[in-house]
């Protein structure tokens, strides 16, 4: 998925039934923690296990982001590049970090995480950025 230059992907995980307002607040916290602003094109990504989470979908709508539900194979393919190893995430999703894997997979092969996922209020948010490699 080559997605052009200077794009940002936010990988999101959350507890069941988390409201969009909470997801948006945690995205803001994560951006502030890394001194970043939202960049466009913007993708909000998660795994199939969270496909029914309206809070994530609604947050993507409010931010004008494309909402991606990534297949397990795409998430597994990038786990070697995640920074966090969460036993809870492994138990639930088989991934060391669903949010970090989703951000990396959405942002493409040149993506890098800006840092470990941000965890707050039952939401995890990982930020990946990809630039065109010249």
């Amino acid at each position: 998925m080559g997605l052009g230059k200077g794009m940002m992907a936010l990988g999101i995980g959350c507890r069941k039934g988390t409201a969009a307002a909470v997801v948006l607040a945690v995205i803001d916290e994560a951006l502030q923690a890394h001194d970043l602003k939202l960049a466009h094109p913007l993708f909000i990504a998660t795994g199939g296990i969270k496909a029914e989470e309206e809070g994530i979908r609604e947050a993507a709508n409010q931010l004008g982001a494309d909402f991606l539900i990534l297949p397990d194979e795409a998430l597994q393919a990038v786990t070697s590049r995640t920074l966090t190893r969460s036993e809870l995430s492994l138990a639930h999703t088989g991934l060391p970090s669903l949010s970090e894997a989703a951000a990396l997979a959405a942002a493409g092969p040149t993506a890098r995480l800006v840092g470990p996922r941000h965890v707050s209020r039952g939401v995890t948010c990982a930020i990946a950025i990809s630039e065109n490699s010249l």
Side-chain angles (χ1 to χ4, degrees), residues 17-37:
T18 300
V22 176
V23 175
L24 289 165
V26 176
I27 288 171
D28 274 347
E29 287 174 18
L31 289 165
Q32 283 173 18
H34 295 289
D35 201 23
L36 292 170
K37 295 195 174 356

Side-chain angles (χ1 to χ4, degrees), residues 54-77:
E54 284 305 316
I56 302 175
R57 187 182 302 270
E58 179 56 31
N61 286 344
Q62 290 190 33
L63 293 173
D66 285 311
F67 180 58
L68 302 176
I69 296 166
L70 298 162
D72 287 346
E73 309 80 76
L75 299 171
Q76 290 291 349

Side-chain angles (χ1 to χ4, degrees), residues 31-55:
L31 289 165
Q32 283 173 18
H34 295 289
D35 201 23
L36 292 170
K37 295 195 174 356
L38 283 178
H40 288 272
L42 176 66
F43 294 84
I44 293 202
T46 194
I49 194 169
K50 296 293 173 191
E52 301 303 311
E53 286 300 328
E54 284 305 316

Side-chain angles (χ1 to χ4, degrees), residues 67-86:
F67 180 58
L68 302 176
I69 296 166
L70 298 162
D72 287 346
E73 309 80 76
L75 299 171
Q76 290 291 349
V78 297
T79 55
S80 64
R81 291 161 50 211
T82 61
L83 301 174
T84 301
R85 185 177 172 82
S86 158

